Amino acid sequence: MLDSSPQIEFPEYYREYFEPCRSKGLRGGRGSGKSHCFAGHLILRAASEEGFRAVCIREVQRSIADSVKQLLEDKIGAYGLSAFFKTTETEIAGANGSRIIFKGMQNHTAASIKSLEGFDVAWVEEAQTLSAKSLELLTPTMRKPGAEIWFSWNPESEEDPVDVFMRQEGADFICRTVNWNDNPWFPNVLRGEMERDKARDPDKYEHVWNGAYRGLSEARVFRNFRQGEIKPPANVVWFYGVDWGFSNDPAAGVRFCFPDKKTLYIRNEVYELGLPMEAHPTFIAGLPDAAKWPVRADNARPEIIDYCRRHGIRKIRAAKKGKGSVEDGVSFIQSFDVVIHPSCANTRREFQRYAYKTDSRTGEILPVIEDKNNHVIDALRYGCEGLHRKGKLITDTVKAGEAPRRGYFKEDGGVNWKTI
Ligand SMILES: Nc1ncnc2c1ncn2[C@@H]1O[C@H](COP(=O)(O)OP(=O)(O)OP(=O)(O)O)[C@@H](O)[C@H]1O
Ligand SMILES: [Mg+2]
């Protein structure tokens, strides 16, 4: 059946995957040979087992070009089996009655997936994108005695359904993490890319090439902060911002200043869950001198603002918020070096975790900020609101033909413009 010089080779790590096992997982970084291993193995089984049936699955398969069909055809060629297999638009069929088909889980319903019941192998490629629903549909469907499910994926998040599923231990599971250095045929082009990422972007390198989960760092909104202590000038202007809590959200407040032109210094925080109405003035007074300085607060609860104003926080008023205020506030904060006093642990945690959303299917970072880890951040944004005009940033305004400039809020409320 095989011609004289077939290139049938597998990396050492794959040896045990030839043994029967219900669930087989290969997880790891780019170029580790995961796809080639499963593709080669599938072709060998289709060539040697009469009536063998396999389905190659992705969560989303818009067209056959999204599938591993081409890779399987390449393997057929490399193994010298071109005369044995016939490929059509949608499937690969062997002279022994074996068949390999290609499906996207999202095109399937609970009823239509039943057509896979007699299959021997389901190979899920890019399994980090597999939804919990798809996994729940698929596992009971593969019910033929000896049927196997193979998963190959590049780890994205430890909460991804495939990661959770394949973390189980026992005779039914085999799962290894493999990386580029486990692949004896790791190509030079990829090596070049890998070396560049390693040198320039260690977080990306760990995620893309070493199979680490995507660190939050890549999706993080703020990178411009550090913990530290600063002695601001005696005449510095203090700013105060407050975000009200709701059932499960804490109330948060911050006191901050701009000790020099490029620094935003967060000196104090207050942070508490489940505050009753009458506790709010004392809560805000936990920020030094809050009774004396203007305080800007979330406008969603005017009754609390009222209550606080009548109970000692005299200069409190509602922030305006409005369309684009989150983005404007965030880019304003991004334009400074933020220094967080060591006592402000909640502030530090939120700055670390405040993140853009990532697309659960592609892992790509989206231009939308997650509505999480933002209590102190929101308070800070409200406190900064007087520093933007008409929702526009004071900093970084660049008009055509003008040099970029940065403006600073003066004590009297005016703006000092400086060309950068
Ligand atoms: N058995 C093999 N024989 C020859 N070359 C191989 C073999 N396995 C892998 N390679 C080479 O290594 C490269 C990477 O392998 P493969 O595409 O299977 O990695 P992967 O882990 O699926 O990567 P990705 O995460 O990018 O999908 C292939 O393009 C091929 O050049
Ligand atoms: Mg692959």
Side-chain angles (χ1 to χ4, degrees), residues 234-245:
N235 63 349
V236 82
V237 178
W238 287 102
F239 294 85
Y240 296 74
V242 180
D243 186 34
W244 308 122

Side-chain angles (χ1 to χ4, degrees), residues 22 53-55 57 113-124 135-151:
R22 167 74 179 160
R53 289 220 173 339
V55 54
I57 290 176
I113 194 116
K114 285 218 159 39
S115 62
L116 302 179
E117 275 179 6
F119 278 61
D120 299 283
V121 170
W123 169 21
V124 186
L135 191 58
E136 271 166 35
L137 270 180
L138 184 63
T139 40
T141 304
M142 298 298 295
R143 61 179 58 176
K144 187 176 174 185
E148 299 188 351
I149 313 183
W150 302 353
F151 300 95

